[in-house]
Amino acid sequence: MKKLSLLLMLVSSALIAQEPQKDYEGGKLQLGVRTVLSAFSDDGYKGFGVGGQFRIKFANRLNTEWFADYITTDIGGMAKRTDYHIGWSVQFYPFNYGYKAKKMIPFIDAGHCFDYTEVMKTDGSNFKLNRWSSAVQSGLGTMFCLTDNVDLTVSAKYMLHIGKDIAAEIFKGPNDDNQILIEKTNASLEGHLLIAFSVNVLIADLWSKEK
Amino acid sequence: MEQRKITYTFLILIFSFAAKAQPEKQQFVHSGILRTTLTISPATSGSIYLQGNVEYYLHPSLSVRGDGFYGVKYGQDFLTQNHSIFSGASYHFTTKGNFDPYFFFQPGVAITQKEFQSCINVYPTSPECVDSKIITNPLTSIGSGFNYYFQKWAHLFGELRYVYGKHIPSTPPAISLSELRFSFGLGFNFNFKK
């Protein structure tokens, strides 16, 4: 693990050292909307959601993304899980970095978010449990610039929640009918993969000095 | 089957307009156009919506747009309300002339409500009933369409949109909101850049 971190640091510093001194990308502000899919969660059901983000670029190869998501999951027709995320990520561009039409800009992404989860039985009983927690996320993605100021982005991040989880488990009851157990579990490292498709528009240049 | 028919008809319509586009002309579309429409939009589920749209061209190939759908008739069983809003962007293909084909991606949300109170039997007492609540559901949509700018201030448009989503109420069943929506009509366009 240490070796890998050292290698990543070396690669990053080598790439940054290659950069021209003039920083002309910093200050670019993008606004976007996105569709998110949540997969490989502990309960095994896929979530689907909508969200938005803005990005503020601090350097040629360094961007920050500030996002919010609203995700719902149908748990076997017996419960509904609702997740709200609000968080931020740092994006590092190891290859291309300038917003130019027809350009692919792959990135490495890492960050943190706060989230609120509610799991409700959908049998009319109105029974629900909720929790606040925090998460860290990291992943890969790529932007595809349609024009100089609009891009489509696809990213996949693994989001690891820190704190108590709400588990929903469907099991066979005494009459062989499906029943569901919803309960808060002890602090655990529960995670899921978050795949996002977004469209982003460059809306302002806050402080950059274009070449 | 119905969805396929609509898709094929729509594609034929687009191609016939494309074939009619006059290659010697200059492209009409440019940055700074604001277009807006209001139309009736039927869907493959049997629903009918009143659709409003505002779109602004940032570039001849790119526009940002917002759409609203107000449900006036519901094809999905058990729904009494199904309204939705979307925001996103369209990519416009370069053409010569007034024809403007495009595709778009727009995430959104639906505001939906089930049709009746739902009751559960709590033995041995009498059934407990809960009111169906208005809930918001995430949606996503992709689609394609065309504009035909036949006049300085007005245009003809046609569009096909696939919407994906699910209404998950507090009582079963969950209701799929996925459908194809079709819209066609006249719109207005204004120039904000010379």
Side-chain angles (χ1 to χ4, degrees):
Chain A
M1 195 64 189
K2 270 185 184 174
K3 278 182 186 171
L4 183 68
S5 316
L6 197 65
L7 185 70
L8 279 174
M9 278 171 65
L10 276 172
V11 171
S12 317
S13 13
L15 286 166
I16 289 164
Q18 283 175 6
E19 242 177 66
Q21 286 304 301
K22 194 164 181 180
D23 185 10
Y24 69 94
E25 281 281 321
K28 293 201 166 170
L29 174 69
Q30 284 187 306
L31 194 65
V33 287
R34 63 192 194 168
T35 286
V36 286
L37 300 170
S38 170
F40 303 110
S41 59
D42 286 359
D43 56 22
Y45 295 94
K46 291 182 186 72
F48 166 73
V50 64
Q53 72 270 329
F54 64 89
R55 293 177 180 154
I56 302 175
K57 210 164 183 183
F58 283 101
N60 284 346
R61 294 184 186 277
L62 192 72
N63 209 345
T64 57
E65 182 175 271
W66 307 77
F67 63 88
D69 294 321
Y70 167 59
I71 302 167
T72 58
T73 310
D74 185 7
I75 303 176
M78 302 195 73
K80 176 186 183 182
R81 181 182 175 114
T82 309
D83 291 286
Y84 300 87
H85 294 153
I86 183 160
W88 64 283
S89 285
V90 175
Q91 295 178 342
F92 174 69
Y93 305 126
F95 307 112
N96 298 325
Y97 57 83
Y99 299 140
K100 280 269 178 236
K102 317 286 181 208
K103 204 169 176 184
M104 293 275 273
I105 308 178
F107 59 84
I108 301 164
D109 175 299
H112 166 260
C113 88
F114 294 103
D115 64 277
Y116 174 76
T117 300
E118 183 182 278
V119 181
M120 180 182 74
K121 275 191 181 179
T122 53
D123 60 359
S125 65
N126 248 352
F127 174 81
K128 57 181 135 179
L129 291 177
N130 54 47
R131 65 111 201 243
W132 280 96
S133 92
S134 185
V136 287
Q137 76 272 350
S138 182
L140 300 170
T142 186
M143 295 162 63
F144 177 72
C145 298
L146 293 171
T147 66
D148 291 353
N149 48 15
V150 176
D151 73 74
L152 286 176
T153 300
V154 58
S155 66
K157 303 174 200 179
Y158 195 75
M159 191 172 259
L160 199 64
H161 292 273
I162 303 156
K164 288 188 174 177
D165 184 29
I166 301 175
E169 192 190 346
I170 296 175
F171 59 95
K172 291 281 178 198
N175 301 324
D176 211 29
D177 53 341
N178 281 338
Q179 295 196 358
I180 188 162
L181 177 69
I182 300 172
E183 60 178 355
K184 275 191 183 175
T185 60
N186 290 329
S188 64
L189 289 176
E190 160 261 344
H192 57 107
L193 188 70
L194 200 70
I195 302 163
F197 302 92
S198 67
V199 57
N200 303 278
V201 179
L202 179 65
I203 54 166
D205 208 344
L206 299 179
W207 66 81
S208 84
K209 294 167 197 151
E210 286 278 1
K211 282 204 276 200
Chain B
M1 197 61 190
E2 179 120 348
Q3 292 191 359
R4 272 192 191 171
K5 267 189 192 169
I6 292 175
T7 312
Y8 290 143
T9 316
F10 187 71
L11 288 175
I12 289 167
L13 206 64
I14 285 191
F15 286 127
S16 30
F17 267 103
K20 277 190 180 177
Q22 294 169 7
E24 67 275 7
K25 279 188 177 176
Q26 270 198 332
Q27 185 176 13
F28 174 86
V29 167
H30 54 87
S31 62
I33 293 178
L34 179 83
R35 65 173 280 264
T36 181
T37 63
L38 186 66
T39 190
I40 301 286
S41 171
T44 49
S45 66
S47 299
I48 296 175
Y49 303 91
L50 191 63
Q51 179 192 359
N53 156 290
V54 180
E55 183 170 11
Y56 182 74
Y57 287 72
L58 295 168
H59 185 272
S61 301
L62 230 302
S63 61
V64 286
R65 58 182 285 173
D67 287 71
F69 288 82
Y70 183 82
V72 288
K73 179 181 172 281
Y74 304 108
Q76 295 97 336
D77 290 339
F78 311 122
L79 280 187
T80 51
Q81 291 205 58
N82 183 7
H83 316 297
S84 45
I85 50 169
F86 297 91
S87 72
S90 296
Y91 182 80
H92 301 259
F93 297 99
T94 307
T95 59
K96 289 181 177 174
N98 298 358
F99 183 65
D100 174 34
Y102 60 86
F103 71 86
F104 62 89
F105 166 62
Q106 280 187 303
V109 288
I111 297 158
T112 50
Q113 186 179 30
K114 261 175 80 172
E115 132 176 276
F116 45 72
Q117 268 198 339
S118 299
C119 302
I120 53 161
N121 289 311
V122 183
Y123 182 80
T125 57
S126 55
E128 280 182 8
C129 293
V130 287
D131 285 325
S132 295
K133 287 179 183 162
I134 294 175
I135 54 178
T136 54
N137 313 281
L139 294 177
T140 193
S141 71
I142 52 166
S144 70
F146 70 90
N147 298 309
Y148 186 74
Y149 293 92
F150 62 89
Q151 210 258 354
K152 195 179 175 187
W153 303 105
H155 62 276
L156 182 73
F157 73 93
E159 188 176 280
L160 190 64
R161 167 194 300 265
Y162 175 70
V163 176
Y164 175 82
K166 199 188 241 184
H167 169 92
I168 311 172
S170 56
T171 52
I175 300 164
S176 171
L177 302 174
S178 303
E179 60 188 1
L180 275 174
R181 295 179 188 178
F182 176 72
S183 47
F184 186 82
L186 292 172
F188 291 102
N189 47 281
F190 310 97
N191 272 336
F192 281 86
K193 274 185 191 171
K194 292 270 173 181

